[in-house]
Each structure stands twice: as structure tokens, then as C-alpha cells.
Amino acid sequence: MRIKIGFGFDVHQLKDNHPFVVGGVDLAHYKGAYGHSDADVLLHAICDALLGAANLRDIGFHFKNTDPQWKGISSIILLQETMKLLKEKGFEVGNIDAMLCLEAPKINPYIPQMQQNIAEAIGISIDDISIKATTNEQMGFIGREEGVVAYAVCLIEKLG
């Protein structure tokens, strides 16, 4: 098949006084996502969607959280590396649709910059990148601001 879809999911714990990077944008908030890299939950979900669509396993397979070379790295670089893997298999990205689930901060003001960052890393138009956000209505670990979740789907197509 020439056209394939992929699904990605990621979750990170939130900690006080920690940077909060989402979509390559530093969010102004008193808590931030904690992880081996910069813990960019949105980009990790997108990487997993892309890798899955191309049958290239998952982000943890390629960028192990025990490998010091990925410690603290910008997830924009992980997305660029993911794109290299897709291109080696002859794929290009059609579009991405992503959803963030968190109580705070409000994401809407940051979406255009997130779209721009992702578009530049992948090499597609910002019109092909949809980013939405919702809360968890103050329920569960998301509602208590203990964590953040992202989901992503993508469409890729084999060239040639």
C-alpha cells in the first residue's frame, strides 16, 4: 500500500519548577514535563505516529531513554531524526492531527508556533498540521496536574 496511517501516544509526569516544552515551544507555567529528553509530549506522540505508520517500531526503540546521547536533547532533533528514517524508506508525510490533554496552561496562544516548528522539522505546510487541546475536567492525574498526555495520527505516502 502506498498510503499508511499511524497513531502515537505519549505521557509525561509534571514537576514543579521544571521547563515545559510542547511542540518545541517553552510554555510559561509553574510546572513542566519531566523525562530523559526535553519531555516534549506532543513531538514524542508525533514521532511514534510517524514511526508506526512506516512500520519502524517506536520512539523508545530508536531513541532509548537510557542512552546518554539523548539526555536533555530537544525533541525537534528527535523529530528530524525520525524524518530521516522515514525518508530512507521512501515516505513523505501527508498530514498530522494531534491532541494535547492537560489542565493548564492554555495552549491556544502557542499553537501557531508549534505548527511552525513541526512544519520546519518535517518539511510540510503548517496547513497540514492540526493541533488541538482539551482538559480532563479536573479528573485523574491530568486533572490534578500530575501529568500531560498527547495523541497524534498521521498519514504518510510512499514515493515513487
Side-chain angles (χ1 to χ4, degrees), residues 13-70:
Q13 184 180 31
L14 292 176
K15 293 192 172 192
D16 287 340
N17 303 312
H18 198 74
F20 201 0
V21 179
V22 179
V25 177
D26 290 314
L27 305 184
H29 196 54
Y30 73 98
K31 285 189 173 187
Y34 179 77
H36 186 69
S37 65
D38 64 1
D40 190 325
V41 68
L42 177 61
L43 296 187
H44 294 179
I46 291 170
C47 286
D48 264 346
L50 294 167
L51 291 165
N55 195 22
L56 288 169
R57 311 250 334 232
D58 60 44
I59 192 171
F61 179 80
H62 294 281
F63 313 109
K64 294 180 181 8
N65 66 1
T66 56
D67 188 335
Q69 89 172 337
W70 308 121

Side-chain angles (χ1 to χ4, degrees), residues 21 24 37-38 40 43-44 70-79:
V21 179
S37 65
D38 64 1
D40 190 325
L43 296 187
H44 294 179
W70 308 121
K71 179 73 176 160
I73 197 164
S74 166
S75 293
I76 290 287
I77 294 170
L78 300 181
L79 183 56

